[in-house]
Amino acid sequence: LTSSSNRALVEHRLGDVHRLTGRLELADEHYLRAESEHPHPSDLYADWALLHYRRGRTKDAEQMADRALKAAEVQDNPTTTSRAHNIAGLVSSDPSNAMRNIDEALSLAEGDEIAEMAALNNKAHLLNEIGNRRGAIKLVNQAIQLAIKTGHRHREAALHNHLADLLYREGLQEE
């Protein structure tokens, strides 16, 4: 990678840190600085879509997710394309479009446990939103099994938290 590509990757990671710690304006500034020289623009646009989504800017999130999808097509990497579809599904304001994207993410994630866990979890969120809590519980359990299999304990913990919320809402407090 060139030094400008490396700087873009650093700017992207700095943006991620700011996004995750709630300094959203700073995250946006770092993503903007990363854009022109980023060697993997789909990854940047996917994270930028998450930033817009967190800020409640749904249209901007959807547009950035679309940019991630277009960039992923050029990169021609199933994992990258899976993630772009997963993020597009997550930020979509249209439930049927969200489901199509997440299903495509699941299809492309085959063999990549992290991508599959993320898509299963997001599909579970979507199923819960449309009232299919039992289906959501089943998907979260599948994701937990993947986390256990791969040793991703922090993801497993987050998935157990999601499962607990779903079970509680379903009236299954004992479980």
Side-chain angles (χ1 to χ4, degrees):
L1 293 175
T2 67
S3 62
S4 58
S5 293
N6 281 331
R7 274 192 302 277
L9 290 171
V10 169
E11 289 290 346
H12 181 179
R13 292 300 159 237
L14 288 169
D16 287 347
V17 168
H18 288 302
R19 176 178 51 85
L20 294 169
T21 58
R23 294 179 293 233
L24 306 182
E25 289 295 326
L26 288 172
D28 200 42
E29 292 171 17
H30 284 288
Y31 289 159
L32 185 59
R33 283 196 291 270
E35 184 176 21
S36 66
E37 298 293 328
H38 204 289
H40 311 290
S42 180
D43 295 335
L44 173 66
Y45 294 142
D47 289 333
W48 215 339
L50 289 173
L51 173 65
H52 288 310
Y53 182 73
R54 183 164 179 200
R55 295 172 86 180
R57 296 167 54 180
T58 306
K59 290 230 184 286
D60 291 336
E62 289 174 339
Q63 289 172 350
M64 201 57 73
D66 188 52
R67 290 176 77 180
L69 284 168
K70 287 180 176 137
E73 289 173 12
V74 173
Q75 286 177 245
D76 194 32
N77 176 318
T79 299
T80 300
T81 307
S82 174
R83 181 166 189 260
H85 276 287
N86 194 32
I87 299 302
L90 176 70
V91 304
S92 180
S93 59
D94 173 11
S96 61
N97 184 47
M99 189 64 77
R100 274 192 304 278
N101 274 296
I102 292 173
D103 283 341
E104 184 65 20
L106 273 170
S107 171
L108 291 165
E110 190 173 319
D112 183 328
E113 289 89 359
I114 292 172
E116 191 173 351
M117 277 185 273
L120 286 167
N121 190 45
N122 285 338
K123 186 168 182 174
H125 279 291
L126 186 57
L127 287 177
N128 182 51
E129 285 177 20
I130 62 173
N132 184 352
R133 205 164 286 123
R134 292 287 178 161
I137 290 167
K138 180 180 174 188
L139 293 179
V140 172
N141 276 316
Q142 288 176 357
I144 288 170
Q145 291 310 307
L146 281 172
I148 291 168
K149 175 184 164 196
T150 59
H152 286 92
R153 297 194 47 90
H154 64 287
R155 291 179 194 274
E156 180 186 349
L159 289 163
H160 275 291
N161 188 52
H162 185 192
L163 179 61
D165 289 342
L166 291 168
L167 291 169
Y168 180 80
R169 287 187 198 117
E170 190 64 14
L172 300 169
Q173 284 77 8
E174 290 290 319
E175 287 83 348

